[in-house]
Every structure is written in C-alpha cells, then in structure tokens.
Amino acid sequence: MKIREDAARIIDASIRAVLPDEAVARALKGFTPPTGRLVLVALGKAAWQMAKAAADCLGGAVSDGIVITKYGHAGGDIPGLRIREAGHPVPDWNSFDATDEAIRLVEPLGENDLVLLLISGGGSALFEKPLCGPEALADLTGQLLRCGADIVEMNTLRKRVSAVKGGRFAQLCAPARVFAIVLSDIVGDPLDMIASGPAYPDRSTAEQAHAVVEKYGLRLPPEVLPLLDRPLPRRLDHVETRVTGSVRELCAAAAGACRALGYETTVLTASLCCEAREAGSFLASVAQYHADTVKPLAFIAGGETVVHITGTGLGGRNQEVALSAARGIAGLVGAAVFSVGSDGTDGPTDAAGGLVDGTTCGRLAAQGISIDRVLSDNDAYHALVRVDGLIKTGPTGTNVNDVSVLLLRPRA
C-alpha cells in the first residue's frame, strides 16, 4: 500500500500547486482598472476559481460579469457575478444561453471600458454561439470526440463554425479593450487554440480545416462545410493576453512531490500527445527496463493523450493510459502507474484518472476480465472499479492538461 499512498500524495500536491489562485494574482500584478466599466467574463472548467481569485484581487472594481463553467464546477456565489453552468464536452442549450448573456454584457461597452477575460480549458464547449444549427454542431463535435483527433485539430474546425471563437468574441467587445488571462490546457500554449481562441487572432487556415476533415473521414452536415472557408480575425490590436499556468508547472509540481517522498525523479516530457494506450505501454516499457532498481524511481510525463473510440464503454484517456500500462507491469513488485487529469474529470466520468500496479492485471484476469477486450470497448472505468483503480478528486478548479507517473520501489 505504500506506493499507492505515495501516489495519492503526489496527486494532491501536484494539483494544489497549479490551482488558479496564485496564477491569476500573478497575472493581475500591476493591473490598472479602466476609467470606464470593468466587465469580467470567465469561461472554462477553471472559470469559477479564476473568477473568484480575480474578484478577491480587484475588490469592488468589477462592474459586472459572468462565469461560465461545467456542471458541478461552480463553488458558490461570487458577489457581483452571474454564475452559469453548461455542457461539456458537447455544448448544450445552457452553453448557448450563457454565451448570449456574455455577448449582451460586452456589446454596449465603449472605448474607456475593459473586458477582463479569464480563459481555461473546456471553453470550446462551454462558450459557444454556433453559426450552424445546434444539431449540426452536436454532430460535428461527436465525430471529433470519437475519431481520435487531438485538441488542436478539433479546435481548428470548431472555431470556424462559431460566432465567438477564433477571435470573434474580441471583435464583439470592441471598442472596449480586452485583457485576457489564459490558463493553458494545450501543449505548447497555442493561444489561438486554448478554448478555441475567443480573443486571439487565428493562426490556422481553411486548408488545414479541410485537411482535418479529410484525415479522419468526417461527414460534415451540409450547412457546416461552407463555414470552413469563412475568414477569421488576423489582427486584434485592442487585446492584451497573458498566459499563467501550464502543464510544465504541473509536471514540475509532481516532480517536487516525488523527490520529497524520496524518489529519484525524471521528467520525460511535458508534451505527451499520442494515443492513450500507447502512452501506457511506453510507461510500462520504462518500468520493465528499471525493474531491478535498488532505489525508488519516478518517471513523469505530462501532456494530453487522445483516445480513438471504437467501443461503447465508459472511460477517459487517463483511465486508458493506466489500464494499458497494467499489462506491461503485470507481476512487477513495487511498480505503479497513475494518470490523472488536473481538472478532476476524465472523459464523461466522475473519475480524474486511474491507478494500477503489478497486481492489477492478475486481479482482473481472476475475475474473467481481459484488458485487451476492455480497451477495445473503451470501458476502462468499469474495469478499474473492480480493482479499486479509479482516482476521484472531484472538480479541482484548475485545468492544465494531464500528468502520468510511473513509480518504482526496490523489491524487498
């Protein structure tokens, strides 16, 4: 149990280190309120926590504002702000309605006013005013989630069918200035892709959007196809953007927690972007190579994997990373792999990720459960339930990608 206790401590320390409170306060250092109105718009899975931090920093300077976050992610009332919860990863009517409310807040603003825009991952679904019908948008989103496209590919398409993505929301704010604080959930911090870049000039092209469609054989609704060629803003001179918080900080925090527990620690990458089951297999290969270690070792990989959905089960990318690793570390004493989403939710589940050790594969087999079959059906959640392998943190208030950790302890 020692290695599982260590995993719990590492997860807790890692997430606490990337909560938005300090990050938002750091980004607001030296901030000067406008001579006119200051309107706050927060969107994404970390929106409530970011808005609370900003409100605490700015006191009564905020004139009005709205927080749009995922169901279950709001932590209560924030004086002066409207709190709205909406659908993720597929937009719903609450997404559309809350976005319309945000637009109504900013459209009357003048050149002496300022929009404080707080952006975090998940905003692509939560903040949406589609240029196509809701059914067509749901169809496109569903195909993108199933086909294995990465977040950049997904957002290259999603921004083109939206009235608020790809810099279009910033255009709606003009002539008011926009000060955007971004909590990054995409490897490399591409500002035009985080939450589909509501206040950042578009860097993608229509040709790239069509290439994504061709690559994955997407069947676009007829009303969507012409939208791919509509131009997006290339310049937004009234916008200032600051990135605060990223997966690099998450990995650094995990590494610090590992070292504090006595592990010799290596950060392998903060740019993991392969299939989830390939990431799990890779971590298991690292475990096999170091299986005879004489000292505790930790290997860390941060980023965001993808899942190509072929089945009808329940799970998420982090659960698939862990379950895939279980095959390769089967029988290894003192080995464990866990993978967790920093936002506390992994796929359409109530779990943040999964944890396995050298006994997991055998315990599943004893119950007649084949890991290969489970992964083919994308049903990692129900398999991990059977071996006490789900990690549940609840919504964390942050969102800076995922972290996967391999722990190895010497054999007794």
Coordinates of all heavy atoms in Angstrom, one line a residue, residues 254-314:
A254 N 4.7 17.8 -9.7 CA 4.7 16.3 -9.5 C 6.1 15.9 -9.2 O 6.3 15.0 -8.3 CB 4.1 15.6 -10.7
A255 N 7.1 16.4 -9.9 CA 8.5 16.0 -9.7 C 8.9 16.4 -8.3 O 9.6 15.6 -7.6 CB 9.4 16.7 -10.7
G256 N 8.5 17.6 -7.8 CA 8.9 18.1 -6.5 C 8.3 17.2 -5.4 O 8.9 16.8 -4.4
A257 N 7.0 16.7 -5.6 CA 6.4 15.9 -4.7 C 7.0 14.5 -4.6 O 7.2 13.9 -3.6 CB 4.9 15.7 -5.0
C258 N 7.4 14.0 -5.8 CA 8.1 12.7 -5.9 C 9.5 12.8 -5.1 O 9.8 11.9 -4.3 CB 8.4 12.3 -7.3 SG 6.9 11.8 -8.2
R259 N 10.2 13.8 -5.4 CA 11.5 14.0 -4.7 C 11.3 14.1 -3.2 O 12.1 13.5 -2.4 CB 12.2 15.2 -5.3 CG 12.7 15.0 -6.7 CD 13.5 16.1 -7.2 NE 13.8 16.0 -8.6 CZ 13.3 16.7 -9.6 NH1 12.4 17.7 -9.3 NH2 13.6 16.5 -10.9
A260 N 10.3 14.8 -2.7 CA 10.0 14.9 -1.3 C 9.7 13.6 -0.7 O 10.0 13.4 0.5 CB 8.9 15.9 -1.1
L261 N 9.2 12.6 -1.4 CA 9.0 11.3 -0.9 C 10.1 10.3 -1.1 O 10.0 9.1 -0.8 CB 7.7 10.7 -1.6 CG 6.4 11.4 -1.3 CD1 5.3 11.0 -2.2 CD2 6.0 11.1 0.2
G262 N 11.2 10.8 -1.6 CA 12.5 10.0 -1.7 C 12.7 9.3 -3.0 O 13.6 8.5 -3.2
Y263 N 11.9 9.7 -4.1 CA 12.1 9.1 -5.4 C 13.2 9.9 -6.2 O 13.1 11.2 -6.2 CB 10.8 9.1 -6.2 CG 9.8 8.2 -5.6 CD1 8.9 8.5 -4.7 CD2 9.7 6.8 -6.1 CE1 7.9 7.7 -4.2 CE2 8.8 6.0 -5.6 CZ 7.9 6.4 -4.6 OH 6.9 5.5 -4.2
E264 N 14.1 9.2 -6.8 CA 14.9 9.9 -7.8 C 14.1 10.1 -9.1 O 13.5 9.1 -9.6 CB 16.1 9.0 -8.2 CG 17.1 9.6 -9.1 CD 18.3 8.7 -9.4 OE1 19.1 8.5 -8.4 OE2 18.5 8.2 -10.5
T265 N 13.9 11.3 -9.5 CA 12.8 11.6 -10.4 C 13.3 12.2 -11.8 O 14.2 13.0 -11.8 CB 11.9 12.7 -9.8 OG1 11.4 12.2 -8.5 CG2 10.7 13.1 -10.7
T266 N 12.7 11.7 -12.8 CA 13.0 12.1 -14.2 C 11.7 12.6 -14.8 O 10.7 11.9 -14.9 CB 13.6 11.0 -15.0 OG1 14.8 10.5 -14.4 CG2 13.9 11.5 -16.5
V267 N 11.6 13.8 -15.3 CA 10.5 14.3 -16.1 C 10.8 13.9 -17.6 O 11.8 14.5 -18.2 CB 10.3 15.8 -16.0 CG1 9.2 16.3 -16.9 CG2 10.0 16.2 -14.5
L268 N 10.1 13.0 -18.1 CA 10.3 12.5 -19.5 C 9.9 13.6 -20.5 O 10.6 13.8 -21.5 CB 9.6 11.2 -19.7 CG 10.0 10.1 -18.8 CD1 9.0 8.9 -19.0 CD2 11.4 9.6 -19.2
T269 N 8.8 14.2 -20.3 CA 8.2 15.2 -21.3 C 7.1 15.9 -20.7 O 6.4 15.4 -19.8 CB 7.8 14.5 -22.6 OG1 7.3 15.5 -23.5 CG2 6.6 13.6 -22.4
A270 N 6.8 17.1 -21.2 CA 5.6 17.8 -20.8 C 4.8 18.0 -22.1 O 3.9 18.9 -22.2 CB 5.9 19.2 -20.2
S271 N 5.1 17.2 -23.1 CA 4.4 17.4 -24.5 C 3.9 16.0 -25.0 O 3.9 15.8 -26.2 CB 5.5 17.9 -25.5 OG 6.0 19.1 -25.0
L272 N 3.4 15.2 -24.1 CA 2.8 13.9 -24.5 C 1.6 14.1 -25.3 O 0.6 14.8 -24.8 CB 2.5 13.1 -23.2 CG 2.2 11.6 -23.4 CD1 3.5 10.9 -23.8 CD2 1.7 11.0 -22.0
C273 N 1.5 13.5 -26.5 CA 0.3 13.8 -27.3 C 0.1 12.6 -28.3 O -0.3 12.8 -29.4 CB 0.6 15.1 -28.2 SG 2.0 15.0 -29.2
C274 N 0.2 11.4 -27.7 CA 0.0 10.2 -28.5 C -1.3 9.5 -28.1 O -2.1 10.1 -27.3 CB 1.1 9.2 -28.3 SG 1.4 8.7 -26.6
E275 N -1.6 8.4 -28.7 CA -2.8 7.6 -28.2 C -2.6 7.2 -26.7 O -1.5 6.9 -26.3 CB -2.9 6.3 -29.0 CG -3.5 6.5 -30.4 CD -5.0 6.4 -30.4 OE1 -5.6 6.0 -29.4 OE2 -5.6 6.7 -31.4
A276 N -3.7 7.2 -26.0 CA -3.6 6.9 -24.5 C -3.0 5.6 -24.3 O -2.1 5.4 -23.4 CB -5.0 7.0 -23.9
R277 N -3.4 4.6 -25.0 CA -2.9 3.2 -24.7 C -1.4 3.1 -25.1 O -0.7 2.3 -24.5 CB -3.8 2.2 -25.4 CG -3.8 2.2 -26.9 CD -4.9 1.3 -27.4 NE -6.3 1.8 -27.0 CZ -7.4 1.2 -27.3 NH1 -7.4 0.1 -28.0 NH2 -8.6 1.7 -26.9
E278 N -1.0 3.9 -26.1 CA 0.5 3.9 -26.4 C 1.3 4.5 -25.3 O 2.4 4.0 -25.0 CB 0.7 4.6 -27.7 CG 0.1 4.0 -28.9 CD 0.2 4.8 -30.2 OE1 0.7 6.0 -30.1 OE2 -0.3 4.4 -31.2
A279 N 0.8 5.6 -24.7 CA 1.4 6.2 -23.5 C 1.6 5.2 -22.4 O 2.6 5.1 -21.7 CB 0.7 7.4 -23.1
G280 N 0.5 4.5 -22.1 CA 0.6 3.5 -21.0 C 1.6 2.4 -21.3 O 2.3 1.9 -20.4
S281 N 1.6 1.9 -22.6 CA 2.5 0.9 -23.0 C 4.0 1.4 -22.8 O 4.9 0.6 -22.4 CB 2.3 0.5 -24.4 OG 3.2 -0.5 -24.8
F282 N 4.2 2.7 -23.2 CA 5.5 3.2 -23.1 C 6.0 3.3 -21.6 O 7.1 2.9 -21.3 CB 5.6 4.6 -23.7 CG 6.9 5.4 -23.4 CD1 8.1 5.0 -24.0 CD2 6.9 6.4 -22.5 CE1 9.2 5.6 -23.7 CE2 8.1 7.1 -22.2 CZ 9.2 6.7 -22.8
L283 N 5.1 3.8 -20.7 CA 5.5 3.8 -19.3 C 5.8 2.4 -18.8 O 6.7 2.2 -17.9 CB 4.4 4.5 -18.5 CG 4.2 6.0 -18.8 CD1 3.0 6.5 -18.1 CD2 5.5 6.8 -18.3
A284 N 5.0 1.4 -19.2 CA 5.3 0.1 -18.8 C 6.6 -0.4 -19.3 O 7.4 -1.1 -18.6 CB 4.2 -0.9 -19.3
S285 N 7.0 0.0 -20.5 CA 8.4 -0.4 -21.0 C 9.5 0.2 -20.2 O 10.5 -0.4 -19.9 CB 8.5 0.1 -22.5 OG 7.5 -0.5 -23.3
V286 N 9.3 1.5 -19.7 CA 10.3 2.1 -18.9 C 10.3 1.3 -17.5 O 11.4 1.1 -17.0 CB 9.9 3.6 -18.6 CG1 10.8 4.2 -17.6 CG2 9.9 4.4 -19.9
A287 N 9.2 0.9 -17.0 CA 9.2 0.1 -15.8 C 9.9 -1.2 -15.9 O 10.7 -1.6 -15.1 CB 7.7 -0.2 -15.4
Q288 N 9.8 -1.9 -17.1 CA 10.5 -3.1 -17.3 C 12.0 -2.9 -17.3 O 12.7 -3.8 -16.8 CB 10.0 -3.8 -18.6 CG 8.5 -4.2 -18.6 CD 8.0 -4.5 -20.0 OE1 8.7 -4.5 -21.0 NE2 6.7 -4.7 -20.1
Y289 N 12.4 -1.9 -18.0 CA 13.9 -1.6 -18.1 C 14.5 -1.3 -16.7 O 15.6 -1.8 -16.4 CB 14.1 -0.4 -19.0 CG 15.6 -0.1 -19.2 CD1 16.3 -0.8 -20.2 CD2 16.2 0.9 -18.5 CE1 17.6 -0.6 -20.4 CE2 17.6 1.2 -18.7 CZ 18.3 0.4 -19.7 OH 19.6 0.7 -19.9
H290 N 13.8 -0.7 -15.8 CA 14.3 -0.3 -14.5 C 13.8 -1.2 -13.4 O 13.9 -0.9 -12.2 CB 13.9 1.1 -14.2 CG 14.6 2.1 -15.1 ND1 15.9 2.6 -14.9 CD2 14.1 2.8 -16.2 CE1 16.1 3.5 -15.9 NE2 15.1 3.6 -16.6
A291 N 13.2 -2.4 -13.7 CA 12.6 -3.2 -12.7 C 13.5 -3.7 -11.6 O 13.0 -3.9 -10.5 CB 12.0 -4.5 -13.4
D292 N 14.8 -3.7 -11.8 CA 15.7 -4.2 -10.8 C 16.4 -3.0 -10.0 O 17.5 -3.2 -9.5 CB 16.8 -5.1 -11.4 CG 16.3 -6.4 -12.0 OD1 15.3 -6.9 -11.4 OD2 16.7 -6.8 -13.0
T293 N 15.7 -1.9 -10.0 CA 16.3 -0.8 -9.3 C 16.6 -1.0 -7.8 O 15.8 -1.8 -7.2 CB 15.3 0.5 -9.5 OG1 16.0 1.6 -8.9 CG2 14.0 0.2 -8.8
V294 N 17.6 -0.4 -7.3 CA 17.9 -0.5 -5.9 C 17.5 0.8 -5.1 O 17.8 0.9 -4.0 CB 19.4 -0.8 -5.7 CG1 19.8 -2.1 -6.4 CG2 20.3 0.3 -6.3
K295 N 16.9 1.7 -5.8 CA 16.4 2.9 -5.2 C 15.1 3.3 -5.8 O 14.8 3.0 -6.9 CB 17.4 4.0 -5.3 CG 17.8 4.3 -6.8 CD 19.0 5.3 -6.8 CE 19.5 5.4 -8.3 NZ 20.7 6.3 -8.4
P296 N 14.3 4.0 -5.0 CA 13.0 4.5 -5.6 C 13.1 5.4 -6.8 O 14.0 6.3 -6.8 CB 12.3 5.2 -4.4 CG 13.0 4.7 -3.2 CD 14.4 4.4 -3.6
L297 N 12.4 5.1 -7.8 CA 12.5 5.9 -9.1 C 11.1 6.4 -9.4 O 10.1 5.7 -9.2 CB 13.0 5.1 -10.2 CG 14.4 4.5 -10.1 CD1 14.7 3.6 -11.3 CD2 15.4 5.6 -9.9
A298 N 11.0 7.6 -10.0 CA 9.8 8.2 -10.5 C 10.0 8.7 -11.9 O 11.0 9.4 -12.2 CB 9.2 9.2 -9.6
F299 N 9.1 8.5 -12.9 CA 9.2 9.0 -14.2 C 7.9 9.7 -14.5 O 6.8 9.1 -14.3 CB 9.4 7.8 -15.2 CG 10.7 7.1 -15.0 CD1 10.8 6.0 -14.1 CD2 11.9 7.5 -15.6 CE1 12.0 5.4 -13.9 CE2 13.1 6.9 -15.4 CZ 13.2 5.8 -14.5
I300 N 8.0 10.9 -15.0 CA 6.8 11.7 -15.2 C 6.6 12.2 -16.7 O 7.6 12.5 -17.3 CB 6.9 13.0 -14.3 CG1 6.9 12.6 -12.8 CG2 5.8 14.0 -14.6 CD1 7.3 13.7 -11.9
A301 N 5.4 12.1 -17.1 CA 5.1 12.6 -18.5 C 3.8 13.4 -18.4 O 2.8 12.9 -17.9 CB 4.9 11.4 -19.4
G302 N 3.9 14.6 -18.9 CA 2.7 15.5 -18.9 C 2.3 15.8 -20.3 O 3.1 15.7 -21.3
G303 N 1.0 16.2 -20.5 CA 0.5 16.5 -21.8 C -1.0 16.1 -21.9 O -1.7 16.1 -20.9
E304 N -1.4 15.7 -23.1 CA -2.7 15.3 -23.3 C -2.8 14.2 -24.4 O -2.5 14.5 -25.6 CB -3.7 16.4 -23.6 CG -5.1 16.0 -23.7 CD -6.0 17.3 -23.8 OE1 -6.1 18.0 -22.8 OE2 -6.6 17.5 -24.9
T305 N -3.1 13.0 -24.0 CA -3.2 11.9 -25.0 C -4.6 12.0 -25.6 O -5.5 12.8 -25.3 CB -3.0 10.5 -24.3 OG1 -4.1 10.4 -23.3 CG2 -1.7 10.5 -23.7
V306 N -4.8 11.1 -26.6 CA -6.1 11.0 -27.3 C -6.6 9.6 -27.3 O -5.8 8.6 -27.1 CB -6.0 11.5 -28.8 CG1 -5.6 13.0 -28.8 CG2 -5.0 10.7 -29.6
V307 N -7.9 9.4 -27.4 CA -8.5 8.1 -27.5 C -9.3 8.0 -28.8 O -10.1 8.9 -29.1 CB -9.4 7.9 -26.3 CG1 -10.2 6.6 -26.5 CG2 -8.7 7.8 -25.0
H308 N -9.0 6.9 -29.5 CA -9.8 6.6 -30.7 C -10.9 5.7 -30.3 O -10.7 4.5 -30.0 CB -8.9 6.0 -31.8 CG -9.7 5.8 -33.1 ND1 -9.1 5.1 -34.1 CD2 -10.8 6.2 -33.5 CE1 -10.0 5.1 -35.2 NE2 -11.0 5.8 -34.8
I309 N -12.1 6.2 -30.2 CA -13.2 5.4 -29.7 C -13.7 4.4 -30.7 O -14.2 4.7 -31.8 CB -14.4 6.4 -29.3 CG1 -13.9 7.3 -28.1 CG2 -15.6 5.5 -28.8 CD1 -14.9 8.3 -27.7
T310 N -13.6 3.1 -30.3 CA -14.1 2.0 -31.1 C -15.2 1.2 -30.5 O -15.8 0.4 -31.1 CB -13.0 1.1 -31.5 OG1 -12.4 0.6 -30.3 CG2 -11.9 1.8 -32.3
G311 N -15.4 1.5 -29.2 CA -16.4 0.7 -28.4 C -17.5 1.6 -27.9 O -17.6 2.7 -28.2
T312 N -18.3 1.0 -26.9 CA -19.4 1.7 -26.4 C -19.3 1.8 -24.8 O -20.3 2.1 -24.2 CB -20.7 0.9 -26.7 OG1 -20.7 -0.4 -26.2 CG2 -21.0 0.9 -28.2
G313 N -18.1 1.5 -24.3 CA -18.0 1.5 -22.9 C -17.8 2.9 -22.3 O -18.0 3.9 -23.0
L314 N -17.4 3.0 -21.0 CA -17.2 4.2 -20.3 C -15.8 4.3 -19.8 O -15.2 3.4 -19.3 CB -18.1 4.2 -19.0 CG -18.1 5.5 -18.2 CD1 -18.7 6.7 -19.0 CD2 -19.0 5.2 -16.9

